[in-house]
């Protein structure tokens, strides 16, 4: 970001001055200062701030409280966290901030140095406040969603899953999109939750699966055999007729079940555990793969490993992002990987954006990754072009 406005929140005048001098050496021209969290909030409300450099230990309102207040009031998006406290505390606070949607550019122990600050500031990217800050699911009229489903207003994009050893694409994940004329682009988590609320999730799922299978069929026609990951709502798993319909639809398109991996995340909606496990077991017996998605989040946890008949574990971004910089996170990730390997599960690391994280993950024994470091979600046509190129390169090698 060109000429960012940085707010230094630090109660020690000497540390405040020192941080300011380092930023000036990095040609940061717009710098403000606050000696505690309350003063920082006042400044944030009066001026646009791109990055906050926050000390955790402050009077009146400490850095942790300031971070939460900043999120609630949507006053700044990017932070650099500093403290003389232990690294476990710093990394825990960083995890909290990221879970709230803030962009944590770095976690720095004192004393600061210019090189570290420069690296942190270089990570700053321009973003808009994600709608995830609106924690309540927007309410859509049932008819609006019904018309969109029946009018085929939803589309799929595809994000490749890559083997780091060979660089080859080994599968793609289908991701749903909805561009609504009046409301604009609606996030998948919102329209999926709304479809669940209105009891339309099965109908929407079949429409999207139809698109995905049609695309797989087109790829097969040109010699591209590509395994596909497809998300299922936990609510759908309690409907035996729906699950049977999945089998029927895949057979209709002449697609081998072994090419489909259904991804499921255990959530609060996962209420009929026995019926869900029966459905997943039947899918396994029919030849489909089953993946536990978003592993490492609040609901997707170790309990799932003992009761879901999965073949694959997808490690959530909360476990993988920034792992190269956080020793405690590395330990958790390493133990999770070891457990998954002992259970015979294949692993995919999601949300991989940085090469340093990818190298740590590879060292721990995971070769399959998904994320912006390799590919962003692609339109069907762009994905076809990428798959053709990957296939050609594999044939040459």
């Amino acid at each position: 970001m060109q000429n960012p406005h940085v707010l230094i929140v630090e109660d020690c005048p000497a540390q405040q001055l020192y941080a300011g001098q380092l930023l000036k050496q990095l040609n940061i021209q717009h710098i403000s200062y606050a000696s505690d969290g309350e003063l920082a909030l006042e400044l944030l409300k009066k001026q646009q701030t791109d990055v906050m450099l926050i000390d955790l230990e402050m009077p009146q309102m400490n850095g942790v409280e300031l971070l939460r207040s900043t999120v609630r009031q949507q006053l700044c998006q990017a932070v650099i966290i500093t403290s003389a406290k232990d690294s476990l505390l710093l990394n825990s606070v960083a995890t909290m901030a990221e879970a709230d949607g803030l962009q944590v550019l770095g976690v720095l122990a004192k004393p600061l140095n210019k090189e570290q600050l420069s690296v942190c500031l270089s990570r700053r990217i321009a973003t808009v406040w994600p709608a995830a800050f609106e924690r309540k699911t927007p309410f859509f009229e049932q008819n609006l969603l019904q018309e969109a489903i029946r009018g085929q207003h939803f589309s799929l994009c595809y994000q490749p899953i890559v083997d780091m050893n060979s660089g080859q694409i080994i599968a793609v994940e289908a991701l749903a999109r909805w561009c609504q004329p009046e409301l604009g682009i609606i996030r998948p988590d919102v329209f999926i939750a709304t479809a669940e609320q209105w009891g339309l999730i099965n109908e929407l799922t079949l429409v999207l699966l139809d698109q995905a299978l049609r695309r797989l069929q087109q790829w097969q026609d040109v010699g591209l055999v590509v395994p596909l990951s497809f998300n299922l709502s936990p609510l759908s798993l309690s409907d035996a007729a729906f699950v049977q319909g999945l089998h029927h639809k895949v057979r209709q398109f002449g697609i081998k079940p072994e090419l489909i991996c259904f991804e499921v995340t255990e959530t609060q909606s996962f209420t009929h555990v026995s019926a869900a496990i029966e459905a997943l077991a039947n899918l396994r017996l029919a030849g489909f793969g089953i993946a536990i998605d978003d592993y490492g989040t609040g609901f997707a946890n170790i309990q799932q490993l003992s009761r879901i008949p999965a073949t694959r574990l997808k490690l959530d971004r909360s476990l993988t992002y920034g792992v190269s910089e956080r020793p405690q996170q590395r330990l958790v990730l390493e133990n999770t990987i070891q457990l998954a390997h002992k259970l015979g599960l294949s692993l995919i690391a999601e949300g991989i954006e940085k090469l340093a994280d990818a190298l740590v993950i590879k060292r721990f024994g995971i070769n399959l990754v998904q994320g912006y470091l390799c590919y962003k979600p692609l339109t069907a046509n762009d994905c076809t072009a990428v798959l053709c190129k990957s296939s050609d390169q594999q044939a040459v090698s």
Side-chain angles (χ1 to χ4, degrees):
M1 168 175 281
Q2 296 275 338
N3 299 319
H5 191 140
V6 179
L7 172 60
I8 298 172
V9 190
E10 167 66 66
D11 65 312
C12 173
Q15 294 278 6
Q16 214 181 74
L17 178 62
Y18 177 61
Q21 289 173 340
L22 291 180
L23 290 172
K24 288 175 182 176
Q25 291 174 24
L26 294 171
N27 297 319
I28 303 299
Q29 301 170 5
H30 308 293
I31 305 171
S32 300
Y33 302 86
S35 56
D36 64 49
E38 291 181 351
L39 292 173
L41 286 177
E42 291 179 16
L43 283 175
L44 289 169
K45 291 173 185 177
K46 294 176 182 177
Q47 64 189 26
Q48 179 177 336
T49 300
D50 300 304
V51 179
M52 280 197 298
L53 181 65
I54 301 178
D55 178 35
L56 293 186
E57 297 179 272
M58 294 182 294
Q60 306 303 322
M61 176 187 288
N62 63 36
V64 176
E65 295 168 323
L66 172 58
L67 287 168
R68 299 308 303 276
S69 296
T70 300
V71 169
R72 284 193 294 268
Q73 299 179 55
Q74 301 186 13
L75 297 173
C76 184
Q77 296 175 275
V79 296
I80 299 171
I81 299 170
T82 72
S83 180
K85 290 290 187 180
D86 62 90
S87 61
L88 178 59
L89 173 61
L90 267 69
N91 289 325
S92 296
V93 173
T95 300
M96 175 204 77
E98 287 179 340
D100 278 340
L102 286 173
Q103 195 178 31
V104 179
L105 305 180
V107 179
L108 304 180
K110 291 183 176 179
L112 302 177
N113 69 60
K114 186 173 69 173
E115 289 71 24
Q116 288 177 324
L117 273 179
S118 178
V119 170
C120 291
L121 291 170
S122 70
R123 295 171 179 156
R124 174 74 176 105
I125 58 172
T127 57
V128 295
W129 279 104
F133 285 103
E134 300 294 334
R135 295 298 181 186
K136 296 180 181 178
T137 301
F139 182 89
F140 302 134
E141 291 292 337
Q142 186 174 4
N143 288 342
L144 180 66
L145 198 54
Q146 283 177 325
E147 290 172 5
I149 293 171
R150 292 165 191 172
Q152 302 283 326
H153 297 160
F154 292 90
S155 62
L156 289 174
C157 58
Y158 301 87
Q159 187 172 32
I161 298 166
V162 177
D163 185 335
M164 285 193 287
N165 283 334
S166 64
Q168 298 298 315
I169 296 172
I170 61 97
V172 297
E173 180 181 359
L175 302 168
R177 297 291 184 262
W178 181 20
C179 185
Q180 211 283 330
E182 287 80 26
L183 300 174
I185 297 174
I186 300 173
R187 304 190 326 276
D189 61 315
V190 171
F191 66 73
I192 294 296
T194 306
E196 290 176 336
Q197 178 185 357
W198 285 118
L200 296 170
I201 188 61
N202 288 358
E203 189 176 352
L204 174 59
T205 299
L206 290 176
V207 165
L208 294 171
L209 182 60
D210 191 85
Q211 284 190 39
L213 293 173
R214 202 174 300 278
R215 180 58 56 176
L216 278 185
Q217 197 176 57
Q218 291 170 358
W219 285 338
Q220 286 189 358
D221 289 344
V222 295
L224 296 171
V225 181
V226 187
L228 175 87
S229 290
F230 187 90
N231 291 277
L232 289 182
S233 165
L235 287 179
S236 299
L237 297 175
S238 60
D239 186 336
F242 169 80
V243 175
Q244 192 61 38
L246 297 178
H247 294 216
H248 179 68
K249 185 169 283 293
V250 172
R251 284 196 301 269
Q252 274 185 322
F253 279 88
I255 304 295
K256 293 180 179 179
E258 291 78 10
L259 287 177
I260 308 292
C261 181
F262 289 115
E263 298 188 5
V264 61
T265 302
E266 188 169 339
T267 68
Q268 287 173 315
S269 304
F270 208 87
T271 52
H272 304 289
V273 175
S274 179
I277 292 174
E278 178 188 5
L280 294 172
N282 283 331
L283 289 171
R284 277 284 310 274
L285 289 171
F288 296 99
I290 302 296
I292 299 173
D293 197 14
D294 300 329
Y295 188 83
T297 58
F299 290 102
N301 54 43
I302 197 168
Q303 186 182 32
Q304 288 192 342
L305 299 181
S306 64
R307 63 185 193 179
I308 291 181
T311 56
R312 175 178 293 172
L313 192 64
K314 296 191 76 175
L315 301 177
D316 186 72
R317 184 181 186 276
S318 61
L319 275 178
T320 62
Y321 183 80
V323 69
S324 58
E325 303 166 357
R326 300 175 183 175
Q328 289 79 15
Q329 187 175 332
R330 282 202 299 276
L331 182 61
V332 172
L333 179 62
E334 186 175 16
N335 284 313
T336 301
I337 292 169
Q338 289 175 357
L339 176 59
H341 283 159
K342 288 178 181 178
L343 292 171
L345 296 171
S346 64
L347 286 155
I348 294 176
E350 295 183 291
I352 306 304
E353 299 177 15
K354 300 190 292 185
L355 179 59
D357 291 343
L359 292 175
V360 169
I361 288 162
K362 190 174 187 300
R363 191 166 70 245
F364 286 166
I366 297 183
N367 297 320
L368 305 183
V369 296
Q370 184 177 359
Y372 279 32
L373 178 66
C374 302
Y375 294 97
K376 296 181 179 181
L378 305 169
T379 65
N381 289 338
D382 287 345
C383 190
T384 301
V386 165
L387 289 171
C388 288
K389 183 178 179 181
S390 178
S391 178
D392 291 342
Q393 290 174 343
Q394 192 170 12
V396 171
S397 61

